[in-house]
Amino acid sequence: LDNHFEGLVLFTLAVVVVTLGERSSPLTAACAWTYLAARTAYVPAYYYGLSPWRSLIWFAGFTATTLMLLAALIP
């Protein structure tokens, strides 16, 4: 549960930066959808104990969030 909230805080920050900075693009939208898909896939992976897939799914969401922030901050 802690991983979910930590990732959600970072994702929320990324969304706020993209929105307030008016830096929305197809890349940031794709990153947001990738994060959503990763978080959706993470729940059953966690429930069924699918290791190492669970970690890879979490990392996909984290990478999408990081790319979203970078896309918003780099002109």
Side-chain angles (χ1 to χ4, degrees):
L1 189 59
D2 288 338
N3 281 343
H4 176 71
F5 286 119
E6 291 168 0
L8 185 59
V9 168
L10 185 59
F11 177 72
T12 302
L13 176 65
V15 169
V16 169
V17 168
V18 167
T19 303
L20 293 180
E22 297 180 358
R23 302 288 298 171
S24 182
S25 69
L27 175 63
T28 59
C31 288
W33 282 110
T34 301
Y35 173 83
L36 180 63
R39 293 315 303 169
T40 303
Y42 184 81
V43 173
Y46 185 84
Y47 179 77
Y48 292 112
L50 302 177
S51 186
W53 299 109
R54 182 176 70 197
S55 296
L56 293 173
I57 292 168
W58 180 90
F59 189 69
F62 179 75
T63 302
T65 303
T66 303
L67 286 174
M68 192 172 170
L69 271 171
L70 289 173
L73 295 174
I74 296 174

